[in-house]
Amino acid sequence: MRTGELAAFGPIEQPPPMSVGVIGWLRKNLFSSWFNGLVTLGVGVALYTVGRSLLAWAFSEANWKVVSSNLEILTWGRYPQDQVWRLGVSLAAILGLALATWLARRGQRRARRGLLVAWLLSPFWLAVLLRGLILPTPLTVFNHLGYYLFRPELLSALGVEWRGHVAVLLVGILGGLSWGVGSTRWRVAIGSANVAILALLAPYGVRGREIAPGILLPNLVPIGLLLGVAWVLGRSAFRRVANAIAIPRLLLPAWLLLLPTLIILLTNFDVGVERVAPAAVLPIVEPAIWSGILLTVVLAAVSILASFPIGVLLALGRRSSLPVVKGFCVLLIEVIRGVPLITILFMAQVMLPLFLPTELTLDRVLRAMAGMTLFTAAYLAEIVRGGLQAIRREQYEAARALGLSEALVTGLVILPQALRTVIPPIMGQFVSIFKDTTLVTIVGLLDLLAVAQSVIKQREFLGLVREVYLFAALFYFVVSFAMSRASRRIEGRQGIERTRNLAAE
Amino acid sequence: MTEPIIQCTDVHKWFDHFHALRGVDMEVEKGEVVVIFGPSGSGKSTFIRTLNRLEEHQQGTIIVDGIELTHDVRNIATIRSEIGMVFQSFNLFPHLTVLQNVTLAPIWVRKWPKDKADQVARELLERVGIPEQAEKHPAQLSGGQQQRVAIARALAMQPKIMLFDEPTSALDPEMINEVLLVMTGLARSGITMLVITHEMGFARAVADRMFFFDEGVVVESGSPSDIFDHPKEERTKLFLSQILSH
């Protein structure tokens, strides 16, 4: 008889126990009705059949030597043997950092801040570890900057004299912009900085044009006139736009950048020093030869980490009240979402070079990363937009009424709430892009699956296809599963808060 | 005679084709407690929301504490940090604790160090009677407690003016008094207050002046005794008889 239910009539002070023992559980969950019982039996038989033959194959027939003897190739592919220690160091560094973060989760604020900086800088030190580093001297940096970023022919086309005019204009506009800001002390500093720069330029102006080979400056009178015009322009521009953007805060960096800019303008990077041979700290391992699990993980990690901020910005941009920003974001999101990832990967290979200066060549891995990042960012943007739409208008009003600026309203009140609600779909998107890294085979990159396919073709292991594919599948499953578990944990932490809140209501 | 802290002249506001405010004039002296009442849709809420620019007026002038409300972003930011606002539905930030709700604006707008902001916030929570709830999240509090946190949050910016937009109408009856008590204490402290409410007992006890809004205009204004005992306009009489009858 139905002992489980009879036993349920306990004293009323305690909630009645729902079931008794293993048998009670089985009865309640697996065999509660004839239909449920039938389903349980059917699934049980199917699982047994599949599991038995899989296990039988795995432990008797399968030759796992094909995986074990190729483990290195599958893991880091063509990464130079003598440099593999760098992968180990990278992994250890990340695990160490994760451990430290976990230990310091309730620790001092300073320690946590330090860890945050280490995490934020991790793309840089990881790039150095994985790709290698050639330490340039300051002069080579200067020459490279000019060469790669500014294209000497562009500046040359402008003509030395014009560059001088531009320099004076910059000084003047910056001076005019700065005048409206803050205290008298500011004004004195700005005024004297302007006069000093003018004084530096003046002798050249009086003396004439060519002051040194390649360095030429306009005459004093045009300098003065230009400076005046620029001041007026700068001041009126300031009045108009200063309220809208944080010009005062931008001014200090602008002044700091002014000197190098002037030098660049006036010299066109030609400092007249031969390039000094750079010092290699870690030999370069070009990403083009990264392969196997290394490539898969790097591709996934980069596109996940880089797409998140871009996606959030796109989502915010899509809701912007500025039509240009909004239009740009909508266009980007819709175009990318309207194109299959494979197409985007092809486009990234062939189109990206069109938008970049010819001197700057991205290798294929970076191009694939860029494509995958943009792709994920567009989808994240839509997910985050959904989260933003769930925030009630009153939250904006309450935040604005406190005097928070629009940026603070978004950053402190709206985004934190919006992102919390969309953790599950965001993690889903991350899992999806991790699995989609397999598509880079098509543009000639050797990710884990591609390496697996080449392993299969080895003569001594001919015909051992299942083992290799099963290994690859297991790897993808374990990582994806870990990611979705992690997502559950983050959700769970939010959930605890929520149930606690509900319980208190 | 001192200059009024709020000076509104001929304020108009349209929502699309709906003329919500049709020329509102109002002057409020420093330290005055003003109660605004009227039927729903009369524009009273829209009006006080124009004072801190949650709504933009399209005609007329609004001068708050000597600053005229224009499109100038700096002016709006300044005005908003001088005006505290309490909403009908509390609008606390659910992802922050009570203490963080109260310290958010002082830390980020006033740039106070965290310790100072925390201390001031705890004093304010003490003042509104819920010092023990500082570490909880808003959803763990009752409506009355949430509204008191909202008052503390607004006060944390040390505003010169407090706006209350029907602060008790979303509350269960037994919680209305605890909020009104805090507001009464606040009114006695000398801060300028504009309160939209239909709690007529509160109005009679605390208000210096009352304004009756209907169809986007001020129909009648005067001291509580003028309004309650000798209302001049028919519309005022009718409305008062309706809300006082129960």
Side-chain angles (χ1 to χ4, degrees), chain A residues 154-363:
Chain A
L154 206 76
L155 279 177
S156 309
L158 203 58
V160 188
E161 194 169 339
W162 277 103
R163 279 185 269 132
H165 288 308
V166 173
V168 175
L169 264 174
L170 278 180
V171 175
I173 288 177
L174 205 52
L177 277 176
S178 311
W179 189 255
V181 182
S183 59
T184 325
R185 226 189 315 164
W186 249 104
R187 295 190 178 186
V188 171
I190 291 154
S192 38
N194 252 267
V195 170
I197 292 171
L198 192 61
L200 278 173
L201 301 182
Y204 305 125
V206 175
R207 235 183 284 157
R209 290 171 169 258
E210 184 140 349
I211 46 140
I215 302 185
L216 216 72
L217 288 157
N219 293 316
L220 187 58
V221 179
I223 286 182
L225 275 177
L226 257 177
L227 202 64
V229 171
W231 261 76
V232 175
L233 276 178
R235 288 198 58 183
S236 63
F238 179 79
R239 281 205 203 102
R240 225 161 279 159
V241 291
N243 310 319
I245 30 177
I247 280 195
R249 238 174 283 165
L250 296 177
L251 278 175
L252 192 63
W255 276 100
L256 292 178
L257 281 175
L258 183 64
L259 200 61
T261 313
L262 289 182
I263 294 172
I264 288 168
L265 268 173
L266 297 176
T267 63
N268 193 16
F269 295 99
D270 189 7
V271 285
V273 181
E274 295 299 313
R275 287 188 194 183
V276 187
V281 176
L282 282 172
I284 299 283
V285 181
E286 287 297 343
I289 66 165
W290 297 359
S291 37
I293 288 178
L294 170 68
L295 181 68
T296 296
V297 168
V298 168
L299 275 177
V302 167
S303 32
I304 285 172
L305 294 178
S307 65
F308 184 69
I310 299 175
V312 170
L313 285 179
L314 281 176
L316 292 173
R318 189 164 189 167
R319 290 165 61 90
S320 166
S321 55
L322 306 173
V324 177
V325 175
K326 182 178 176 155
F328 172 78
C329 293
V330 171
L331 189 74
L332 198 66
I333 292 169
E334 294 306 332
V335 164
I336 291 174
R337 289 193 340 134
V339 178
L341 178 54
I342 294 187
T343 319
I344 288 185
L345 287 174
F346 277 127
M347 300 283 270
Q349 297 301 323
V350 296
M351 300 288 282
L352 219 49
L354 283 185
F355 306 129
L356 296 170
T358 44
E359 296 83 2
L360 186 65
T361 50
L362 287 181
D363 65 75

Side-chain angles (χ1 to χ4, degrees), chain A residues 97 108-121:
Chain A
L97 202 54
Q108 284 192 326
R109 208 191 305 171
R110 197 191 293 171
R112 280 185 297 172
R113 198 165 289 176
L115 286 169
L116 182 68
V117 171
W119 278 115
L120 286 177
L121 291 179

Side-chain angles (χ1 to χ4, degrees), chain A residues 128 132-138 140-141 144 275-284:
Chain A
V128 166
L133 179 68
I134 288 181
L135 214 57
T137 60
T140 47
V141 169
H144 275 77
R275 287 188 194 183
V276 187
V281 176
L282 282 172
I284 299 283

Side-chain angles (χ1 to χ4, degrees), chain A residues 120 299-317 333 369-385 387-388 411 414-431 433 483 490:
Chain A
L120 286 177
L299 275 177
V302 167
S303 32
I304 285 172
L305 294 178
S307 65
F308 184 69
I310 299 175
V312 170
L313 285 179
L314 281 176
L316 292 173
I333 292 169
M369 281 174 186
M372 290 174 55
T373 301
L374 277 180
F375 180 80
T376 311
Y379 279 87
L380 285 184
E382 286 300 282
I383 294 172
V384 174
R385 186 167 74 108
L388 287 171
I414 304 305
L415 260 189
Q417 294 186 55
L419 290 179
R420 264 168 211 227
T421 58
V422 292
I423 291 169
I426 285 181
M427 287 304 280
Q429 191 63 43
F430 288 163
V431 171
I433 197 68
M483 283 166 84
I490 305 172

Side-chain angles (χ1 to χ4, degrees), chain B residues 109-155:
Chain B
V109 180
R110 292 259 190 262
K111 312 277 183 201
W112 289 359
K114 191 174 175 298
D115 297 338
K116 183 187 173 190
D118 276 359
Q119 195 198 333
V120 171
R122 285 184 196 280
E123 283 165 16
L124 283 168
L125 289 175
E126 186 94 44
R127 189 166 153 195
V128 300
I130 36 174
E132 71 285 355
Q133 314 280 12
E135 313 303 332
K136 290 192 181 165
H137 278 82
Q140 293 166 270
L141 306 185
S142 73
Q145 290 174 324
Q146 289 193 43
Q147 193 61 299
R148 287 187 280 159
V149 173
I151 294 174
R153 178 176 71 175
L155 288 175

Side-chain angles (χ1 to χ4, degrees), chain B residues 81-97:
Chain B
S81 54
E82 301 294 342
I83 302 182
M85 186 158 190
V86 176
F87 299 85
Q88 182 177 350
S89 48
F90 331 135
N91 301 349
L92 295 179
F93 306 130
H95 61 300
L96 302 177
T97 64

